[in-house]
Amino acid sequence: MILLHVESVRKMTKRSLFIAGTDTNAGKTFITSALLRKFSKIAQSVAVIKPIQTGCFDGDGELVAPDMSFYETFSGGLKNVSFFCFEKFKAACAPSLAARLEGKTIDVDGLMDKIRRIIDGNDVVLVEGAGGLMVPIGAHNATMIVDLIASLRIPVVLVAPNRVGTINHVALSVSELQRRGIQVAGIILNQLSEIKDVERLFLDGNLTEIQSIYHEINCFSMPHLDTSADNFFEKLDAITQKICIPRQQTAIPNLESSVKFDHEHLLHPYDNLKNSLPVQVIESASGVELKTADGETLIDGISSWWCAIHGYNNARLNRAMEEQLQNVAHVMFAGLTHDPAIKLGEQLLCMVPPGLTKIFYSDSGSISVEVALKMAVQWARGQGFENKQKFFALRGGYHGDTAWAMSVCDPEEGMHKRFGRILPRQIFLPRPCVKFNQSINFAAEWARYEPFFEEHGREIAGFILEPIAQCAGGFWFYSPEYLTLFRELCNGYDILLIADEIATGFGRTGKLLACDWANIVPDIMCLGKGLTGGYMTLAATLTTDAVISGISKDGPLMHGPTFMANPLACAVARESMKIISEGTWYENTKRIEVFFKEAFLPLGKFHSVRDVRVLGSMGVVEMAQVVDQQAFQKHCVANNVWLRAFENFIYVMPAYVISNEHLETLAKAIYLWIENSEKQGL
Ligand code: PMP
C-alpha cells in the first residue's frame, strides 16, 4: 500500500522541463537554479542537466563547468538534488564551434540517451540549454531546438532578458518552438540588472505585451535581486513560489470528446465495429516511449507494427524530412525524377543481394506485393509462358491486405475465408516444418515439395514466401536451408522466386536481409516497413535485369501509383538506410536476442504456454489458447507498455534502439500476464 502511495505521488510530481534562452546571457542558469529550489521542496528527486557547457575552465586536472557551481550554491546542500554536465568545452562560443576548436564533435544521440536515462530515474528533471534555440550543437547541422528539445519532447520554459527588443526575441523563439509542436510551458522575463525608474514603464510593458500575445502561456517577470543580500534566498523562494508552470499540455479537456469522435467515426485496423477495442490517444512519441494524452508513458514493444526501427522522433530522420520539405514534398514520378529517389536507390542496391538491379517504388507493403505478382505474370507472358498465371505460396504466410496479396496469404487462417470466392485461387505448399536452427533432410524435403512443382509448375509464374520468418501468419521461424531448396526448385521449373522481406528486412532477423541466411538471390524482393524507419509509407519491389527484359517483351510494366517515389518518403528512407548501413542495428539485435532468450525461454515451463521462439529482435510466446486481446491490452496499458496480442501469440518486435531497462519492463508485463493466466487455469 505504502509503495502504491509513493508511486502515485511520484506520478503526480514527475515532470521534465527544458530551460531555453531567447539568446545567450539571458539568465537561464539563474532561473534554472531558482526552479531547482522550488521543485526540490515538492519532489523526491530533482536532477539538473546542463548537457553542453562552453566557457569551462581548468580546475584540478579536469574542466569545470561554471553552471554546476551555480546550481550547487543555489541548492545549498539539499539532499534530493543532483547535477550533470556531459560535454564541457573551454571556448565560450557556440557548442559545435567550441567542440571543433578542440578537434571534437558532440555525439548528440549519445547525449539524448544520457538525458533520457536521467529523466527516467528522477521525479523532476530540468535540462538547461546553451545559448539560444538555433545554436549549432553537433555534426550534420544539429541544433539545440531540433536535436535536443524537439527530440526530448519536453515542455520548454523560455527565459528572455528583459530589455528593449525582448518582444521580438520572445516572438521568434515561441513561433519556432510552436512550429515544431513543442509546448511552451512558461515565459520568464529576467531582469538582469537594476532598472531605473524611466525604464520601468517599458520593461513592465514588455510583460503586458507578451502576456496579451500569448494569453495561453503563463508569463512571469523575475525582478533583479541582490544576490549578496542576507535574505536573498528567502526573497527568491517567495517569488518562485508564484511561478506556476503547467504540466505537459494534454488534450484532457477534449479527450473524452476526441475519443468519442474516434469511436463513432474512425475505423481502425481489423476492427469489429460493433465491439471496437478502446484506443489510446497518443500525443507524442520519442525513442520507444509513447506519450498518451492522459499523461501516461507506454513503452512500445512492437515498434508500430515493426516499422519504427530507429525509434520515434529520431533527430536524423526528422531533419531529413524537414530538409526535403523545404525543396518539394511531392512530384509525380512519370517523366520526372529527383535526388531522394536516386540516392535511396543507390543506397538500396548496395544492401540487397547482387543481381537485384531494378527498383519500383510504391506506397505500401501490400502494393509492393501486387507489383511483384504483376511483374511475375508479365515476365511469364513476355517469355511466352501464357499459362503461367498462378502462384505458389506457403501455408502460414502473410503478404498484405489488397486482393492479389490476400490471395497468397494462408488460405485457411488468412482472409480467404471471407473473400474466398472472389480471390484468385493459388497453390499452397506446406509450411516448412524444420525449425530455424535445425538442418533439413534435403532429399526428404525435396521429395515433399517437388511433386507440387511437377504437377503445377506449368501454371505457376512465381513462388512468394517470407524468407526464414513467417510473421503475421503465426511467427514461425524455419530453417534457411529451405530457401536453397526452393531456389533450386524454382530454377528447374521457370518459376520466379519472390522474397517478401517487408517484415524481415533491415536487420530484424539478425542479418541485414533474411535471404542472407541462405545467401540466395531471389528474382524479386519486396521491401517496406522499416524502409523509412516508420516515418512514412513507402515500399519497394526490386528485381533483376533478366526479369525486366522478360517483362519488356510483354510491354510496359503496368503499374504507376500517384505517390510513387514520394520525395519526402524517399528522403527519410535514405536517412533510415544510412543509419542501417552504419551497422549499430547488428549489435543491438544481438543484445535484444540475448535478452529475449533469457527472459522468454524460461516461460516454456508454464502450462498456458505452448511454445517460445526467439530470432533476432523477435520474441514470441505462443499461448495454448487464444489471448483475449481486450483484456491483454488493458493489462499492458496498466503496466505502462504497448503490446498487441493476436490469436495465440504474444510477441515483442521493438525498435533496435530499445534499452535493456525498457525490455525488462516489457518482459515483466508479459510475465505477469502469463502468471495470471496460469492462476486462472487458462
Ligand atoms: N508482407 C509482409 C510479410 C508483411 O508483414 C506485411 C505487413 N504486416 C505486408 C506484406 C503488408 O504491408 P503493408 O501493411 O505495408 O501493406
Side-chain angles (χ1 to χ4, degrees):
M1 280 310 276
I2 290 169
L3 257 179
L4 263 181
H5 176 68
V6 170
E7 208 31 54
S8 63
V9 170
R10 284 191 79 131
K11 274 191 179 169
M12 277 161 60
T13 49
K14 200 160 171 64
R15 57 163 56 191
S16 322
L17 292 169
F18 200 103
I19 320 298
T22 51
D23 200 350
T24 190
N25 285 334
K28 290 189 302 299
T29 311
F30 182 85
I31 299 295
T32 307
S33 307
L35 293 176
L36 157 69
R37 291 180 65 83
K38 176 183 168 78
F39 285 116
S40 69
K41 301 201 170 83
I42 50 171
Q44 286 185 38
S45 61
V46 184
V48 185
I49 310 173
K50 178 84 182 179
I52 309 168
Q53 172 105 66
T54 59
C56 296
F57 52 87
D58 278 321
D60 279 350
E62 60 172 319
L63 280 184
V64 176
D67 289 2
M68 292 287 112
S69 358
F70 217 93
Y71 304 148
E72 211 155 339
T73 315
F74 270 59
S75 61
L78 288 168
K79 293 250 161 19
N80 60 342
V81 298
S82 47
F83 322 118
F84 303 87
C85 180
F86 301 123
E87 298 277 358
K88 300 177 195 168
F89 303 102
K90 274 190 180 172
C93 58
S96 64
L97 177 59
R100 204 163 57 240
L101 291 173
E102 294 178 25
K104 299 176 186 154
T105 44
I106 296 172
D107 168 16
V108 180
D109 289 340
L111 264 186
M112 288 289 299
D113 283 349
K114 288 179 193 159
I115 298 173
R116 282 201 186 110
R117 240 170 273 146
I118 293 169
I119 288 179
D120 282 346
N122 284 278
D123 289 350
V124 174
V125 176
L126 306 174
V127 186
E128 187 188 328
L133 296 175
M134 304 296 283
V135 292
I137 57 170
H140 309 292
N141 301 326
T143 58
M144 187 65 75
I145 187 168
V146 175
D147 296 80
L148 277 189
I149 307 181
S151 303
L152 286 171
R153 289 217 87 73
I154 58 178
V156 165
V157 172
L158 191 64
V159 180
N162 196 11
R163 57 182 170 223
V164 178
T166 292
I167 300 175
N168 176 48
H169 276 86
V170 166
L172 286 172
S173 303
V174 171
S175 74
E176 263 315 297
L177 289 164
Q178 291 184 336
R179 190 168 78 80
R180 293 164 203 278
I182 300 164
Q183 184 197 346
V184 183
I187 299 172
I188 301 183
L189 301 190
N190 198 8
Q191 202 56 66
L192 293 172
S193 53
E194 200 71 65
I195 48 171
K196 301 184 197 92
D197 276 350
V198 279
E199 290 171 323
R200 189 169 301 282
L201 186 65
F202 54 79
L203 293 187
D204 286 350
N206 276 347
L207 182 69
T208 329
E209 200 61 24
I210 289 169
Q211 265 167 341
S212 77
I213 306 173
Y214 302 109
H215 42 83
E216 76 287 5
I217 303 175
N218 292 355
C219 305
F220 305 91
S221 163
M222 173 62 82
H224 177 71
L225 295 177
D226 176 7
T227 45
S228 59
D230 283 349
N231 61 352
F232 163 68
F233 282 122
E234 224 170 276
K235 269 190 166 176
L236 181 71
D237 290 346
I239 293 165
T240 44
Q241 201 58 36
K242 293 188 205 134
I243 298 181
C244 162
I245 298 169
R247 335 198 107 259
Q248 181 114 23
Q249 217 167 50
T250 65
I252 282 176
N254 299 324
L255 192 56
E256 236 170 75
S257 64
S258 302
V259 172
K260 188 165 172 283
F261 181 90
D262 181 284
H263 187 70
E264 287 172 3
H265 301 285
L266 306 187
L267 305 180
H268 287 263
Y270 312 112
D271 204 9
N272 182 342
L273 295 182
K274 284 255 164 66
N275 181 25
S276 41
L277 286 177
V279 289
Q280 300 300 315
V281 181
I282 297 303
E283 248 187 14
S284 65
S286 180
V288 295
E289 293 185 353
L290 305 172
K291 300 267 185 232
T292 67
D294 46 14
E296 293 293 337
T297 300
L298 304 178
I299 297 163
D300 182 1
I302 45 176
S303 51
S304 278
W305 271 339
W306 334 327
C307 66
I309 55 178
H310 310 301
Y312 299 103
N313 206 357
N314 178 293
R316 285 177 62 179
L317 300 184
N318 288 358
R319 197 163 339 104
M321 274 195 75
E322 279 175 359
E323 280 173 14
Q324 182 54 38
L325 202 50
Q326 304 307 315
N327 298 336
V328 60
H330 182 65
V331 283
M332 66 192 287
F333 207 53
L336 304 175
T337 191
H338 44 77
D339 219 38
I342 293 165
K343 291 279 170 14
L344 172 62
E346 287 170 353
Q347 186 91 42
L348 284 176
L349 292 191
C350 299
M351 299 166 90
V352 295
L356 294 172
T357 53
K358 302 282 194 267
I359 305 169
F360 189 100
Y361 294 119
S362 60
D363 17 22
S364 72
S366 303
I367 303 296
S368 77
V369 168
E370 298 281 328
V371 172
L373 303 182
K374 273 187 184 174
M375 280 179 174
V377 167
Q378 283 202 252
W379 165 84
R381 282 168 53 92
Q383 300 295 103
F385 301 137
E386 292 291 335
N387 290 333
K388 283 183 175 279
Q389 303 215 339
K390 284 192 179 178
F391 291 91
F392 276 152
L394 290 176
R395 286 194 177 260
Y398 173 85
H399 299 285
D401 287 356
T402 51
W404 223 0
M406 279 198 290
S407 81
V408 286
C409 295
D410 187 287
E412 275 150 32
E413 298 302 321
M415 303 189 210
H416 274 252
K417 274 185 288 196
R418 293 183 171 85
F419 302 101
R421 290 238 210 99
I422 57 138
L423 293 181
R425 310 305 297 175
Q426 316 293 11
I427 309 292
F428 288 89
L429 309 189
R431 164 179 258 180
C433 54
V434 179
K435 288 188 176 175
F436 174 77
N437 47 9
Q438 293 168 6
S439 263
I440 66 170
N441 176 333
F442 208 84
E445 293 298 325
W446 184 278
R448 195 151 81 101
Y449 285 101
E450 203 206 11
F452 289 92
F453 285 74
E454 209 34 62
E455 186 181 346
H456 300 284
R458 270 171 298 277
E459 45 173 341
I460 299 294
F463 178 2
I464 184 164
L465 50 77
E466 292 157 277
I468 310 299
Q470 293 185 311
C471 292
F475 297 104
W476 176 249
F477 310 146
Y478 60 85
S479 171
E481 289 168 22
Y482 280 105
L483 296 182
T484 316
L485 177 100
F486 294 147
R487 178 67 279 182
E488 279 186 33
L489 279 167
C490 284
N491 287 348
Y493 289 85
D494 288 319
I495 291 171
L496 298 184
L497 182 62
I498 306 170
D500 175 350
E501 292 256 16
I502 291 162
T504 52
F506 312 125
R508 187 54 84 182
T509 65
K511 294 258 188 200
L512 184 59
L513 296 163
C515 283
D516 297 344
W517 284 105
N519 282 325
I520 58 143
V521 183
D523 300 293
I524 301 177
M525 179 180 278
C526 299
L527 296 169
K529 289 204 187 272
L531 183 58
T532 62
Y535 267 54
M536 291 200 72
T537 174
L538 181 76
T541 312
L542 289 94
T543 190
T544 61
D545 289 349
V547 171
I548 289 297
S549 70
I551 293 172
S552 313
K553 291 185 202 142
D554 183 54
L557 176 65
M558 292 312 290
H559 207 88
T562 305
F563 290 101
M564 183 165 178
N566 171 257
L568 275 180
C570 288
V572 74
R574 187 189 168 219
E575 194 62 28
S576 164
M577 292 300 98
K578 260 201 205 160
I579 298 175
I580 287 289
S581 64
E582 288 161 14
T584 46
W585 66 267
Y586 182 77
E587 296 306 326
N588 278 329
T589 307
K590 283 263 158 289
R591 171 179 58 83
I592 296 169
E593 188 173 55
V594 168
F595 182 94
F596 282 167
K597 283 189 174 153
E598 275 174 19
F600 294 153
L601 293 183
L603 299 178
K605 69 173 187 229
F606 287 110
H607 294 295
S608 56
V609 173
R610 184 183 289 158
D611 192 18
V612 179
R613 301 189 275 275
V614 172
L615 175 62
S617 57
M618 299 185 276
V620 182
V621 182
E622 182 175 345
M623 303 297 288
Q625 293 190 17
V626 170
V627 180
D628 176 343
Q629 167 71 5
Q630 183 149 355
F632 182 70
Q633 189 168 308
K634 206 166 152 201
H635 163 84
C636 287
V637 172
N639 283 279
N640 287 100
V641 302
W642 183 244
L643 291 167
R644 273 175 69 95
F646 82 95
E647 292 166 5
N648 295 26
F649 304 99
I650 293 175
Y651 71 95
V652 189
M653 272 165 94
Y656 304 154
V657 292
I658 192 166
S659 66
N660 278 10
E661 286 86 351
H662 280 143
L663 285 171
E664 257 157 41
T665 313
L666 288 163
K668 192 170 157 214
I670 293 176
Y671 184 88
L672 289 175
W673 172 264
I674 293 172
E675 199 181 46
N676 213 16
S677 312
E678 202 77 5
K679 277 190 203 139
Q680 294 173 11
L682 294 175

